[in-house]
Amino acid sequence: MDSNTALLVWPETALYTENGIEEDKMKENPLLNPLWIFLKQHPSVSLFTGVESYHVFNSKNISTAKPMQEAGYYYESYNGSALLDSSGALSYYHKSMLVPGVETLPWFLRFIDKWFEKFGGTTAGYTRQNDRTPLLDSKHGYIIAPAICYESIYGEFMSKYIRHGANIICIITNDGWWGNTPGYKQHMNYARLRAIETRKWVVRSANTGISCFIDPYGNVINPQPWDKAAAIKLNKPVSNNHQTFFVKHGDILSKIFTGISILFVLLNIGYWIKKKF
């Protein structure tokens, strides 16, 4: 795309401050002034980026809100993403598939919160999003299926965005956890499966991992090596609204073979019981 008319994709938690960024006051945050100046200088640019954020409420109007130190205020915090342009934040997505232990724990295990802090997570601190609502970039015609971190490994999860009209998949992730191991390569190859299943383009922006484009047939375009700072671009037409069999019906093969496996287990148990008694 032309650098003055483009959809830019930045990695997970690219926008970050020590206490997070309040979503309703992003344009008032002085630390983000360089970002807003850049977007005002390029009014035809949209930016999809990771952001560690929170939202403040005047009352506990939802069950997931937690009390703040200031009396009468509540908040939710998110490992999320935002679609921005020169006018401000257009829409947000909050990570749904939180990492067990590091990002979420059931209430009865929260006594081990401190133990998980060494992994860099905020245990039980993030609120997840339940719906699969795509993000609309009306300037360029893109309807984004967002994926944060390891969410792109779930095929049916991602296909729900396509059923709701998404025409491009944007993956933002921090693959630094893997180090220089096969893990970051395997993570990228999961994205190829998502492209093939949905027949949609994938844009992947990864800290230390493999940033690249993936076409609807799983071909990887302009992949960047591990731990290399880079900016890549591609002129990509908007995908059509065709929905594949997988998108419409889900992973039927896995369900069939799971059922067959359970049937064989039950038959073997029945055979053992009959032989025994």
Side-chain angles (χ1 to χ4, degrees), residues 26-43:
M26 285 189 71
K27 294 204 74 172
E28 302 170 23
N29 191 318
L31 296 176
L32 300 183
N33 284 343
L35 169 66
W36 300 120
I37 291 172
F38 170 80
L39 290 174
K40 285 181 180 179
Q41 291 173 343
H42 303 83

Side-chain angles (χ1 to χ4, degrees), residues 139-197:
K139 289 182 180 179
H140 308 103
Y142 295 127
I143 306 174
I144 299 170
I148 298 175
C149 190
Y150 78 129
E151 289 182 318
S152 61
I153 73 172
Y154 298 102
E156 291 196 57
F157 173 86
M158 294 304 301
S159 70
K160 292 177 183 178
Y161 287 112
I162 311 303
R163 288 206 294 273
H164 292 162
N167 56 25
I168 189 172
I169 297 172
C170 290
I171 300 170
I172 52 178
T173 181
N174 177 11
D175 283 349
W177 304 103
W178 297 108
N180 192 8
T181 70
Y184 75 91
K185 300 175 183 178
Q186 294 169 4
H187 195 194
M188 186 277 290
N189 281 315
Y190 273 109
R192 299 178 65 195
L193 294 177
R194 304 295 83 85
I196 295 168
E197 290 165 352

Side-chain angles (χ1 to χ4, degrees), residues 1 7-9 48 83 133-137 140-147 158-159 161-171 194-195 198-204 212-216 234-242:
M1 298 175 188
L7 170 64
L8 305 181
V9 181
F48 176 63
L83 181 63
T133 303
L135 309 180
L136 175 61
D137 175 19
H140 308 103
Y142 295 127
I143 306 174
I144 299 170
M158 294 304 301
S159 70
Y161 287 112
I162 311 303
R163 288 206 294 273
H164 292 162
N167 56 25
I168 189 172
I169 297 172
C170 290
I171 300 170
R194 304 295 83 85
T198 61
R199 287 292 189 252
K200 296 291 183 282
W201 278 86
V202 173
V203 179
R204 192 172 193 273
C212 62
F213 302 98
I214 304 173
D215 75 13
L234 179 73
N235 291 312
K236 194 211 76 62
V238 176
S239 301
N240 59 44
N241 293 322
H242 171 72

